Amino acid sequence: MRALVLEEPRTPLQPREVPVPDPGPDQVLIRVHACGVCRTDLHVVDGELPHPKLPLIPGHQIVGTVVRKGEEAPQAIGARVGVPWLGWTCGRCRYCLSGRENLCDQARFTGYQIDGGYAEYAVADHRFCFPLPAGYSDLQAAPLLCAGLIGYRCLRMAGDAARLGLYGFGAAAHIVIQVARHQGRRVFAFTSPGDLAAQEFALTLGATWAGGSLEPPPEPLDAAIIFAPVGALVPVALRAVVKGGMVVCGGIHMSDIPAFPYEILWGERVLRSVANLTRQDGEEFLALAPSIPVRTEVRAFTLGAANAALDTLREGRLRGAAVLMVNDQRSGDARGNQEIFSRQGPISFP
């Protein structure tokens, strides 16, 4: 099968022909239709997350169909499934047994310690394969599996904040703003300074206000979510929230947080991180998304253009989310190296 392989961190992915993997007793073999391109993929490729499996096939927002399965897997052949970042947990530790499997010390992650979806086929633990809402195309479903799930978990951790700040307006923020607006919250969007296009995008999705990340909001926030991997935004966000407010760091990697005065944390402000996701997050969010309905704006690339997709994300030239089209009839067999299209399409739900 064709795959894009990371052989060493901080080097481009290499096109390779590799064997189709065999599923184990508790796994399914998935014919990959589409795979989202996530900032976490960048952290892996750029060497910011240590000790990846090498060589590695990245990608953890996998949409595909089951073509073979082990005897313990309940999925039907032909079932469409989505595979997220969290790819395996032990099921026995105190975290797994207390509903916090996202913190399992033995957890393994798709596209990091487990080969992922930048390939024609992938294997996955059947426990971490989600059925997907029928109203979403493969292209539109892929960003729900990480940008959507992490954004949803961050939003839950932000509590019932009526005035919510989003720092970094990329794939996760463009999804979570739709959920927040559906819940009646007012959203204030913070982008890279001078990124007027991203600010306009946020306003079209219902933001009350949009501006640069170093600007103060026009009114105090009840909570803020930081999606940008920039530690310097932590004290900025703490200054922007009211006493008793919450600042949630949503990324798996962030640059160092600078020292800040205790007074901006005092007043029972809370600073917390969000780590990974749980299957409960996935089940809740994938049931909620079509009821809103959440619409994902995507920019599609062929499998061979994975490096170009990563560059687009790295350079901040992406509106919404990037998705690789792999085995999908609408893009042929995706052997080319070109970008396919960019769109925000309406979704019809039964």
Side-chain angles (χ1 to χ4, degrees):
M1 69 174 185
R2 292 175 299 119
L4 271 292
V5 178
L6 177 68
E7 297 182 341
E8 291 292 337
R10 296 174 293 277
T11 64
L13 304 181
Q14 299 298 317
R16 295 286 184 261
E17 288 286 340
V18 300
V20 175
D22 290 320
D26 56 355
Q27 293 179 319
V28 294
L29 175 66
I30 298 165
R31 178 177 170 86
V32 179
H33 297 168
C35 185
V37 178
C38 180
R39 183 161 293 277
T40 301
D41 299 337
L42 271 185
H43 294 319
V44 173
V45 171
D46 292 348
E48 294 168 332
L49 291 182
H51 313 304
K53 167 193 173 296
L54 292 175
L56 172 71
I57 300 172
H60 60 272
Q61 298 180 94
I62 303 170
V63 176
T65 52
V66 175
V67 295
R68 198 186 313 159
K69 64 177 186 172
E71 56 268 25
E72 297 177 19
Q75 286 85 359
I77 300 298
R80 189 173 77 139
V81 296
V83 181
W85 169 247
L86 186 62
W88 185 90
T89 59
C90 73
R92 301 183 299 273
C93 68
R94 61 173 181 162
Y95 297 114
C96 288
L97 295 176
S98 60
R100 298 178 293 166
E101 63 184 3
N102 58 310
L103 302 179
C104 175
D105 288 330
Q106 299 179 62
R108 296 167 62 203
F109 301 98
T110 312
Y112 186 30
Q113 288 109 2
I114 303 169
D115 281 330
Y118 288 17
E120 292 181 300
Y121 293 89
V123 292
D125 187 311
H126 75 82
R127 299 174 299 161
F128 295 91
C129 294
F130 297 124
L132 295 172
Y136 289 90
S137 70
D138 300 334
L139 182 71
Q140 293 165 322
L144 301 178
L145 293 164
C146 186
L149 292 182
I150 291 299
Y152 174 71
R153 186 172 181 85
C154 289
L155 185 62
R156 286 203 300 111
M157 296 301 176
D160 59 0
R163 297 169 298 183
L164 177 70
L166 301 179
Y167 286 82
F169 204 83
H174 103 281
I175 292 174
V176 79
I177 189 175
Q178 298 177 59
V179 182
R181 294 292 298 122
H182 176 73
Q183 295 173 341
R185 306 173 192 247
R186 299 169 65 219
V187 178
F188 299 77
F190 299 83
T191 72
S192 297
D195 191 346
L196 300 182
Q199 293 166 23
E200 179 60 29
F201 184 32
L203 292 172
T204 65
L205 290 173
T208 299
W209 172 91
S213 58
L214 302 182
E215 296 180 46
E219 55 189 279
L221 307 175
D222 299 307
I225 302 173
I226 302 176
F227 291 119
V230 181
L233 291 176
V234 169
V236 172
L238 282 170
R239 287 188 172 93
V241 299
V242 297
K243 288 186 288 187
M246 172 81 71
V247 174
V248 180
C249 300
I252 192 170
H253 171 81
M254 180 179 274
S255 60
D256 289 347
I257 299 171
F260 56 83
Y262 176 64
E263 65 181 353
I264 66 174
L265 180 62
W266 187 80
E268 300 191 351
R269 294 175 179 86
V270 177
L271 174 64
R272 69 170 303 156
S273 68
V274 161
N276 314 312
L277 64 130
T278 67
R279 282 172 284 176
Q280 181 178 347
D281 295 326
E283 291 162 2
E284 290 179 2
F285 175 68
L286 291 173
L288 175 64
S291 71
I292 292 176
V294 168
R295 292 178 168 86
T296 56
E297 176 150 338
V298 299
R299 186 168 169 182
F301 296 78
T302 59
L303 176 61
N307 286 312
L310 290 168
D311 285 343
T312 300
L313 179 57
R314 186 183 288 111
E315 295 163 8
R317 296 185 286 110
L318 187 66
R319 170 170 159 147
V323 178
L324 302 182
M325 302 301 289
V326 187
N327 294 301
D328 188 282
Q329 293 179 350
R330 286 161 298 180
S331 59
D333 67 357
R335 287 187 180 273
N337 292 325
Q338 78 279 12
E339 179 182 337
I340 304 173
F341 52 81
S342 174
R343 75 179 187 187
Q344 181 180 23
I347 305 171
S348 298
F349 293 92

